[in-house]
Amino acid sequence: AAAPTSGFPKAGGPYSAAYPVVWESKDGEKVRVTAGARTFQPGPAKVKVETGDAFSGAATVTYAGAAAVVADRAGPAGVLLTAEHGARFPPQATAVEPAALEVVAVRADGAQVQVAAPLSAFKLAPGPGAVWLTRANGVQAQFPFQTAAALLGGGGVLLSAPNGFSFPADSLYVRQEQAEAHAEQAAAGKGRAAGGGL
């Protein structure tokens, strides 16, 4: 289902950068996270996993699937993440940070999208920049944004498109990593050009 276009921006939040782990399987294959059903995109996808072990720090894990679960004896409603074949979640996992951030609403004219994250989790703020956007049909494409600003009350991040651009109505997730890498490569290329090809 696409992000809603009416009632923009959508009331909600406060949104978090990382979501708490309430259960982990003994073999490390699965973790249960307290989060909304659409917080994590369908796998395979990567997440950053924080642990209670001060020596281990955080780990990046690829998960194969993300399934919504209802409240039961194991914990509150949330999402069950299953690691990709051969991968494992680290022991003592305490929180999971999605690499792709959920789009909770798209303005009717496509000029803005509301992203379910605090501004501190949006590394490309304040803009301008570009994000990789996943649409309802699974297609991913890079989209520019002019500004990234926090909504009051922890209501997420508001991305505004530059003049002449618009975000698709069926936007589901935005991802920063690859866009950051492209920005760094472009900066490095400009530096080489300015330095006479050094």
Side-chain angles (χ1 to χ4, degrees), residues 126-129 144-148 159-163 167:
F145 69 91
Q146 189 63 37
T147 60
L159 297 182
S160 298
N163 288 336
F167 295 104

Side-chain angles (χ1 to χ4, degrees), residues 5-6 16 31 41 86 106 117 133 138 151 158 187:
T5 55
S6 61
S16 176
V31 292
Q41 69 184 109
V106 181
L133 189 141
L151 284 163
L158 197 63

Side-chain angles (χ1 to χ4, degrees), residues 2-11 104-110 112 114 169-170:
T5 55
S6 61
F8 186 89
K10 182 180 175 184
V104 293
V106 181
R107 202 167 96 173
D109 62 1
Q112 295 177 314
Q114 179 184 0
D170 65 346

Side-chain angles (χ1 to χ4, degrees), residues 6 17 27 31-32 34 38 44 56 83 92 99 106 116 119-120 125 140-141 143 163 172 188:
S6 61
D27 61 5
V31 292
R32 182 173 177 156
T34 303
R38 283 190 49 229
S56 298
Q92 301 178 42
V106 181
L119 191 61
S120 61
Q140 297 181 15
F143 280 79
N163 288 336
L172 293 181

Side-chain angles (χ1 to χ4, degrees), residues 22-92:
V22 294
W23 175 83
E24 181 174 7
S25 63
K26 290 180 182 178
D27 61 5
E29 184 183 346
K30 299 175 186 287
V31 292
R32 182 173 177 156
V33 182
T34 303
R38 283 190 49 229
T39 301
F40 295 90
Q41 69 184 109
K46 293 186 183 208
V47 288
K48 181 178 172 184
V49 184
E50 299 170 11
T51 69
D53 182 351
F55 298 105
S56 298
T60 300
V61 176
T62 300
Y63 64 86
V69 291
V70 297
D72 58 19
R73 290 188 315 239
V79 177
L80 185 68
L81 299 175
T82 302
E84 165 178 86
H85 181 71
R88 294 288 179 261
F89 290 97
Q92 301 178 42

